[in-house]
Amino acid sequence: AAKTALSSSSSSSSNAETKTTNTNTNTTNLLTKILPTIHPPKTPQLPSTLKTDTHWDFTLKEMAWLSADFQSERKRQISQAKKLSNAILQYHATLATKKARERAAFEARVRRLGGRMGRSVLKGYWKKMERVVEYKQKLEGEASRRREMDRRLVFLVRQTEKYGERLRMDDGVGGVGTERNGSGMGGTE
């Protein structure tokens, strides 16, 4: 029984092998029939029948090369023009920002200079002007005080003269004033 099992397993493996070989041979047969119709085999040309290039062939080759050269040159010129235009745009953009920065720096310098001048005018000129004004006010104050003092002095002198006149009149009428007192004031004891 074991022999029949072995022989049957070996026969089944040999059957599988024959099937695969049959399939392979069938495929190759089909390919040999179909391939020549799809891709017919090229017949080799003899050296005597090889075509040599004529002047027109060289002209066509040169025209093809020249066409490709013109296309590549055109592409190169377009890319160079784009690069140049971008560079010009960038230059003008940086120029505008540079001018704006310069303008801002100039305005800052002007502001600093104006502040410096303002401080110097405040500390220098106006301080001097304040001193001049104070001096003038002092002079005016002293002049007004002098006038007031002069006015009071004049008033006092006039009043003293009036009192002196009265006393003289009183002394002249009564006739006793200076001899009794001895001080010359004319008062009674």
Side-chain angles (χ1 to χ4, degrees):
K3 275 193 169 196
T4 56
L6 278 178
S7 67
S8 68
S9 67
S10 65
S11 69
S12 66
S13 68
S14 67
N15 283 339
E17 286 177 18
T18 54
K19 283 183 183 178
T20 56
T21 26
N22 286 338
T23 309
N24 285 341
T25 51
N26 287 340
T27 309
T28 48
N29 287 338
L30 273 173
L31 284 176
T32 54
K33 290 179 184 173
I34 294 173
L35 273 179
T37 58
I38 295 173
H39 296 291
K42 292 186 177 180
T43 56
Q45 293 183 347
L46 298 174
S48 61
T49 62
L50 286 177
K51 180 180 177 188
T52 58
D53 289 339
T54 61
H55 176 72
W56 186 248
D57 294 329
F58 285 116
T59 305
L60 289 176
K61 285 180 185 177
E62 190 172 346
M63 287 173 65
W65 170 81
L66 196 56
S67 171
D69 188 45
F70 270 105
Q71 286 177 351
S72 66
E73 184 67 20
R74 177 85 175 139
K75 285 180 185 177
R76 188 188 65 80
Q77 286 177 350
I78 289 172
S79 68
Q80 287 295 325
K82 285 180 182 178
K83 285 180 186 176
L84 184 62
S85 67
N86 287 336
I88 290 170
L89 287 175
Q90 186 177 6
Y91 169 77
H92 286 293
T94 56
L95 184 66
T97 56
K98 183 180 176 183
K99 285 183 180 179
R101 271 187 263 125
E102 287 175 354
R103 192 176 322 115
F106 176 74
E107 289 173 359
R109 276 191 310 240
V110 166
R111 264 190 245 113
R112 282 194 302 269
L113 181 63
R116 205 174 308 132
M117 288 175 67
R119 284 188 295 278
S120 70
V121 165
L122 181 66
K123 289 179 182 176
Y125 177 76
W126 287 114
K127 290 288 182 180
K128 290 178 184 177
M129 291 308 293
E130 284 178 5
R131 285 189 218 139
V132 168
V133 168
E134 287 173 3
Y135 181 72
K136 283 186 176 182
Q137 287 175 348
K138 183 180 172 184
L139 288 179
E140 287 174 2
E142 287 176 4
S144 67
R145 257 186 272 124
R146 274 192 213 128
R147 281 193 303 266
E148 184 63 30
M149 286 173 64
D150 287 344
R151 192 180 61 80
R152 282 185 187 169
L153 184 62
V154 166
F155 174 74
L156 286 175
V157 168
R158 284 185 185 158
Q159 197 170 15
T160 308
E161 285 176 355
K162 284 181 187 177
Y163 284 139
E165 275 300 313
R166 275 192 200 159
L167 283 177
R168 265 190 249 149
M169 287 177 136
D170 284 344
D171 281 342
V173 173
V176 198
T178 50
E179 294 170 12
R180 253 195 293 163
N181 190 355
S183 66
M185 294 299 267
T188 60
E189 291 186 43

